[in-house]
Amino acid sequence: GYVYAGYFTSPGYVDKISPTNMELIKTFTAPSGHKYVDALTSLSGYIYAGYNTSPGYVDKILPTNMDLVKTFTAPSGHNDIRALTSLSGYVYAGYYTNPVYVDKISPTNMELVKTYTSPSNYNDANALTTLSGDVFAGYHMAPGVVAKISPDTMTLIKSFTAPLRHEYLYALASLSEYI
């Protein structure tokens, strides 16, 4: 395996790094206008890069030669991708918007499948993760909020509001308890 690093540069760069000797193997240089890599994920042997741009872009990258396979262009208003994750054969992109949008993207044709839209009082999806077949979005608010989203319907299942002073959520992780 390899480690992939994305950079907040214009154009955006994604480096393929050998974990054995910690040397650069190859660099992906994003197309014009795809700048500021804010998120990376992997799915089915590909790397996906999300950009802090208006509109947001997600590039599907072939890791063997670090070439661009195809690009997803987000709908109007879906700006500034801050988080990517994958689940059950789809890529999910979270945006730094109010209301929050989370797009379900087909990796085959890099087209929009469906969008989750948060209630209007929630903003800025800084983090995404998955667990037990659901998608979770973390909102950059005070206090922080975590939304549990159905990937089938792209609707809110339930949300968690953090205690007071647990502000501006930046990261989510999940750990299955199955052994």
mmCIF file with all atom_site columns, all heavy atoms in Angstrom, residues 153-166:
data_model
loop_
_atom_site.group_PDB
_atom_site.id
_atom_site.type_symbol
_atom_site.label_atom_id
_atom_site.label_alt_id
_atom_site.label_comp_id
_atom_site.label_asym_id
_atom_site.label_entity_id
_atom_site.label_seq_id
_atom_site.pdbx_PDB_ins_code
_atom_site.Cartn_x
_atom_site.Cartn_y
_atom_site.Cartn_z
_atom_site.occupancy
_atom_site.B_iso_or_equiv
_atom_site.pdbx_formal_charge
_atom_site.auth_seq_id
_atom_site.auth_comp_id
_atom_site.auth_asym_id
_atom_site.auth_atom_id
_atom_site.pdbx_PDB_model_num
ATOM 1   N N   . THR A 1 153 ? -31.842 7.021  1.416  1.00 0.00 ? 153 THR A N   1
ATOM 2   C CA  . THR A 1 153 ? -32.779 8.122  1.164  1.00 0.00 ? 153 THR A CA  1
ATOM 3   C C   . THR A 1 153 ? -32.115 9.493  1.236  1.00 0.00 ? 153 THR A C   1
ATOM 4   O O   . THR A 1 153 ? -32.719 10.487 0.838  1.00 0.00 ? 153 THR A O   1
ATOM 5   C CB  . THR A 1 153 ? -33.930 8.088  2.177  1.00 0.00 ? 153 THR A CB  1
ATOM 6   O OG1 . THR A 1 153 ? -33.386 8.258  3.506  1.00 0.00 ? 153 THR A OG1 1
ATOM 7   C CG2 . THR A 1 153 ? -34.701 6.775  2.084  1.00 0.00 ? 153 THR A CG2 1
ATOM 8   N N   . MET A 1 154 ? -30.893 9.535  1.784  1.00 0.00 ? 154 MET A N   1
ATOM 9   C CA  . MET A 1 154 ? -30.159 10.793 2.011  1.00 0.00 ? 154 MET A CA  1
ATOM 10  C C   . MET A 1 154 ? -31.013 11.765 2.832  1.00 0.00 ? 154 MET A C   1
ATOM 11  O O   . MET A 1 154 ? -31.132 12.956 2.533  1.00 0.00 ? 154 MET A O   1
ATOM 12  C CB  . MET A 1 154 ? -29.677 11.413 0.702  1.00 0.00 ? 154 MET A CB  1
ATOM 13  C CG  . MET A 1 154 ? -28.593 10.594 0.003  1.00 0.00 ? 154 MET A CG  1
ATOM 14  S SD  . MET A 1 154 ? -27.105 10.319 0.999  1.00 0.00 ? 154 MET A SD  1
ATOM 15  C CE  . MET A 1 154 ? -26.306 11.915 0.873  1.00 0.00 ? 154 MET A CE  1
ATOM 16  N N   . THR A 1 155 ? -31.589 11.217 3.904  1.00 0.00 ? 155 THR A N   1
ATOM 17  C CA  . THR A 1 155 ? -32.363 12.009 4.846  1.00 0.00 ? 155 THR A CA  1
ATOM 18  C C   . THR A 1 155 ? -31.793 11.822 6.247  1.00 0.00 ? 155 THR A C   1
ATOM 19  O O   . THR A 1 155 ? -31.114 10.832 6.530  1.00 0.00 ? 155 THR A O   1
ATOM 20  C CB  . THR A 1 155 ? -33.855 11.605 4.845  1.00 0.00 ? 155 THR A CB  1
ATOM 21  O OG1 . THR A 1 155 ? -33.947 10.205 5.139  1.00 0.00 ? 155 THR A OG1 1
ATOM 22  C CG2 . THR A 1 155 ? -34.514 11.908 3.500  1.00 0.00 ? 155 THR A CG2 1
ATOM 23  N N   . LEU A 1 156 ? -32.113 12.776 7.119  1.00 0.00 ? 156 LEU A N   1
ATOM 24  C CA  . LEU A 1 156 ? -31.651 12.746 8.500  1.00 0.00 ? 156 LEU A CA  1
ATOM 25  C C   . LEU A 1 156 ? -32.362 11.646 9.269  1.00 0.00 ? 156 LEU A C   1
ATOM 26  O O   . LEU A 1 156 ? -33.591 11.560 9.255  1.00 0.00 ? 156 LEU A O   1
ATOM 27  C CB  . LEU A 1 156 ? -31.907 14.105 9.159  1.00 0.00 ? 156 LEU A CB  1
ATOM 28  C CG  . LEU A 1 156 ? -31.482 14.248 10.620 1.00 0.00 ? 156 LEU A CG  1
ATOM 29  C CD1 . LEU A 1 156 ? -29.958 14.174 10.735 1.00 0.00 ? 156 LEU A CD1 1
ATOM 30  C CD2 . LEU A 1 156 ? -31.996 15.564 11.186 1.00 0.00 ? 156 LEU A CD2 1
ATOM 31  N N   . ILE A 1 157 ? -31.578 10.803 9.944  1.00 0.00 ? 157 ILE A N   1
ATOM 32  C CA  . ILE A 1 157 ? -32.139 9.786  10.827 1.00 0.00 ? 157 ILE A CA  1
ATOM 33  C C   . ILE A 1 157 ? -32.290 10.383 12.222 1.00 0.00 ? 157 ILE A C   1
ATOM 34  O O   . ILE A 1 157 ? -33.340 10.312 12.829 1.00 0.00 ? 157 ILE A O   1
ATOM 35  C CB  . ILE A 1 157 ? -31.255 8.523  10.869 1.00 0.00 ? 157 ILE A CB  1
ATOM 36  C CG1 . ILE A 1 157 ? -31.189 7.874  9.481  1.00 0.00 ? 157 ILE A CG1 1
ATOM 37  C CG2 . ILE A 1 157 ? -31.756 7.536  11.920 1.00 0.00 ? 157 ILE A CG2 1
ATOM 38  C CD1 . ILE A 1 157 ? -30.158 6.763  9.359  1.00 0.00 ? 157 ILE A CD1 1
ATOM 39  N N   . LYS A 1 158 ? -31.213 10.980 12.713 1.00 0.00 ? 158 LYS A N   1
ATOM 40  C CA  . LYS A 1 158 ? -31.201 11.582 14.045 1.00 0.00 ? 158 LYS A CA  1
ATOM 41  C C   . LYS A 1 158 ? -29.924 12.399 14.179 1.00 0.00 ? 158 LYS A C   1
ATOM 42  O O   . LYS A 1 158 ? -28.948 12.138 13.479 1.00 0.00 ? 158 LYS A O   1
ATOM 43  C CB  . LYS A 1 158 ? -31.258 10.482 15.112 1.00 0.00 ? 158 LYS A CB  1
ATOM 44  C CG  . LYS A 1 158 ? -31.509 10.996 16.503 1.00 0.00 ? 158 LYS A CG  1
ATOM 45  C CD  . LYS A 1 158 ? -31.825 9.864  17.459 1.00 0.00 ? 158 LYS A CD  1
ATOM 46  C CE  . LYS A 1 158 ? -31.977 10.429 18.846 1.00 0.00 ? 158 LYS A CE  1
ATOM 47  N NZ  . LYS A 1 158 ? -33.232 10.169 19.470 1.00 0.00 ? 158 LYS A NZ  1
ATOM 48  N N   . SER A 1 159 ? -29.917 13.364 15.095 1.00 0.00 ? 159 SER A N   1
ATOM 49  C CA  . SER A 1 159 ? -28.706 14.147 15.314 1.00 0.00 ? 159 SER A CA  1
ATOM 50  C C   . SER A 1 159 ? -28.327 14.176 16.789 1.00 0.00 ? 159 SER A C   1
ATOM 51  O O   . SER A 1 159 ? -29.157 13.929 17.665 1.00 0.00 ? 159 SER A O   1
ATOM 52  C CB  . SER A 1 159 ? -28.864 15.569 14.770 1.00 0.00 ? 159 SER A CB  1
ATOM 53  O OG  . SER A 1 159 ? -29.896 16.243 15.449 1.00 0.00 ? 159 SER A OG  1
ATOM 54  N N   . PHE A 1 160 ? -27.058 14.448 17.020 1.00 0.00 ? 160 PHE A N   1
ATOM 55  C CA  . PHE A 1 160 ? -26.481 14.587 18.356 1.00 0.00 ? 160 PHE A CA  1
ATOM 56  C C   . PHE A 1 160 ? -25.969 16.007 18.477 1.00 0.00 ? 160 PHE A C   1
ATOM 57  O O   . PHE A 1 160 ? -25.225 16.482 17.611 1.00 0.00 ? 160 PHE A O   1
ATOM 58  C CB  . PHE A 1 160 ? -25.320 13.598 18.531 1.00 0.00 ? 160 PHE A CB  1
ATOM 59  C CG  . PHE A 1 160 ? -24.411 13.920 19.685 1.00 0.00 ? 160 PHE A CG  1
ATOM 60  C CD1 . PHE A 1 160 ? -24.753 13.570 20.974 1.00 0.00 ? 160 PHE A CD1 1
ATOM 61  C CD2 . PHE A 1 160 ? -23.209 14.583 19.474 1.00 0.00 ? 160 PHE A CD2 1
ATOM 62  C CE1 . PHE A 1 160 ? -23.918 13.868 22.043 1.00 0.00 ? 160 PHE A CE1 1
ATOM 63  C CE2 . PHE A 1 160 ? -22.355 14.879 20.527 1.00 0.00 ? 160 PHE A CE2 1
ATOM 64  C CZ  . PHE A 1 160 ? -22.712 14.525 21.820 1.00 0.00 ? 160 PHE A CZ  1
ATOM 65  N N   . THR A 1 161 ? -26.354 16.707 19.543 1.00 0.00 ? 161 THR A N   1
ATOM 66  C CA  . THR A 1 161 ? -25.832 18.038 19.821 1.00 0.00 ? 161 THR A CA  1
ATOM 67  C C   . THR A 1 161 ? -24.869 17.921 20.993 1.00 0.00 ? 161 THR A C   1
ATOM 68  O O   . THR A 1 161 ? -25.234 17.404 22.068 1.00 0.00 ? 161 THR A O   1
ATOM 69  C CB  . THR A 1 161 ? -26.962 19.030 20.152 1.00 0.00 ? 161 THR A CB  1
ATOM 70  O OG1 . THR A 1 161 ? -27.842 19.089 19.027 1.00 0.00 ? 161 THR A OG1 1
ATOM 71  C CG2 . THR A 1 161 ? -26.409 20.417 20.435 1.00 0.00 ? 161 THR A CG2 1
ATOM 72  N N   . ALA A 1 162 ? -23.653 18.383 20.808 1.00 0.00 ? 162 ALA A N   1
ATOM 73  C CA  . ALA A 1 162 ? -22.608 18.277 21.827 1.00 0.00 ? 162 ALA A CA  1
ATOM 74  C C   . ALA A 1 162 ? -22.936 19.158 23.034 1.00 0.00 ? 162 ALA A C   1
ATOM 75  O O   . ALA A 1 162 ? -23.703 20.122 22.928 1.00 0.00 ? 162 ALA A O   1
ATOM 76  C CB  . ALA A 1 162 ? -21.265 18.694 21.223 1.00 0.00 ? 162 ALA A CB  1
ATOM 77  N N   . PRO A 1 163 ? -22.335 18.832 24.176 1.00 0.00 ? 163 PRO A N   1
ATOM 78  C CA  . PRO A 1 163 ? -22.513 19.684 25.358 1.00 0.00 ? 163 PRO A CA  1
ATOM 79  C C   . PRO A 1 163 ? -21.941 21.089 25.123 1.00 0.00 ? 163 PRO A C   1
ATOM 80  O O   . PRO A 1 163 ? -21.130 21.295 24.217 1.00 0.00 ? 163 PRO A O   1
ATOM 81  C CB  . PRO A 1 163 ? -21.709 18.952 26.441 1.00 0.00 ? 163 PRO A CB  1
ATOM 82  C CG  . PRO A 1 163 ? -21.516 17.566 25.943 1.00 0.00 ? 163 PRO A CG  1
ATOM 83  C CD  . PRO A 1 163 ? -21.522 17.652 24.442 1.00 0.00 ? 163 PRO A CD  1
ATOM 84  N N   . LEU A 1 164 ? -22.356 22.017 25.961 1.00 0.00 ? 164 LEU A N   1
ATOM 85  C CA  . LEU A 1 164 ? -21.838 23.381 25.881 1.00 0.00 ? 164 LEU A CA  1
ATOM 86  C C   . LEU A 1 164 ? -20.312 23.377 25.948 1.00 0.00 ? 164 LEU A C   1
ATOM 87  O O   . LEU A 1 164 ? -19.710 22.555 26.626 1.00 0.00 ? 164 LEU A O   1
ATOM 88  C CB  . LEU A 1 164 ? -22.398 24.245 27.004 1.00 0.00 ? 164 LEU A CB  1
ATOM 89  C CG  . LEU A 1 164 ? -23.888 24.544 26.915 1.00 0.00 ? 164 LEU A CG  1
ATOM 90  C CD1 . LEU A 1 164 ? -24.357 25.348 28.133 1.00 0.00 ? 164 LEU A CD1 1
ATOM 91  C CD2 . LEU A 1 164 ? -24.209 25.291 25.639 1.00 0.00 ? 164 LEU A CD2 1
ATOM 92  N N   . ARG A 1 165 ? -19.702 24.276 25.235 1.00 0.00 ? 165 ARG A N   1
ATOM 93  C CA  . ARG A 1 165 ? -18.250 24.466 25.110 1.00 0.00 ? 165 ARG A CA  1
ATOM 94  C C   . ARG A 1 165 ? -17.576 23.400 24.240 1.00 0.00 ? 165 ARG A C   1
ATOM 95  O O   . ARG A 1 165 ? -16.367 23.439 24.051 1.00 0.00 ? 165 ARG A O   1
ATOM 96  C CB  . ARG A 1 165 ? -17.572 24.615 26.473 1.00 0.00 ? 165 ARG A CB  1
ATOM 97  C CG  . ARG A 1 165 ? -17.979 25.873 27.219 1.00 0.00 ? 165 ARG A CG  1
ATOM 98  C CD  . ARG A 1 165 ? -17.164 26.127 28.461 1.00 0.00 ? 165 ARG A CD  1
ATOM 99  N NE  . ARG A 1 165 ? -17.135 25.046 29.420 1.00 0.00 ? 165 ARG A NE  1
ATOM 100 C CZ  . ARG A 1 165 ? -18.050 24.824 30.355 1.00 0.00 ? 165 ARG A CZ  1
ATOM 101 N NH1 . ARG A 1 165 ? -19.090 25.607 30.460 1.00 0.00 ? 165 ARG A NH1 1
ATOM 102 N NH2 . ARG A 1 165 ? -17.914 23.826 31.194 1.00 0.00 ? 165 ARG A NH2 1
ATOM 103 N N   . HIS A 1 166 ? -18.327 22.458 23.697 1.00 0.00 ? 166 HIS A N   1
ATOM 104 C CA  . HIS A 1 166 ? -17.800 21.510 22.707 1.00 0.00 ? 166 HIS A CA  1
ATOM 105 C C   . HIS A 1 166 ? -18.143 22.099 21.348 1.00 0.00 ? 166 HIS A C   1
ATOM 106 O O   . HIS A 1 166 ? -19.145 21.749 20.738 1.00 0.00 ? 166 HIS A O   1
ATOM 107 C CB  . HIS A 1 166 ? -18.428 20.129 22.880 1.00 0.00 ? 166 HIS A CB  1
ATOM 108 C CG  . HIS A 1 166 ? -18.078 19.463 24.170 1.00 0.00 ? 166 HIS A CG  1
ATOM 109 N ND1 . HIS A 1 166 ? -18.033 18.104 24.290 1.00 0.00 ? 166 HIS A ND1 1
ATOM 110 C CD2 . HIS A 1 166 ? -17.743 19.948 25.390 1.00 0.00 ? 166 HIS A CD2 1
ATOM 111 C CE1 . HIS A 1 166 ? -17.699 17.782 25.524 1.00 0.00 ? 166 HIS A CE1 1
ATOM 112 N NE2 . HIS A 1 166 ? -17.531 18.887 26.211 1.00 0.00 ? 166 HIS A NE2 1
#
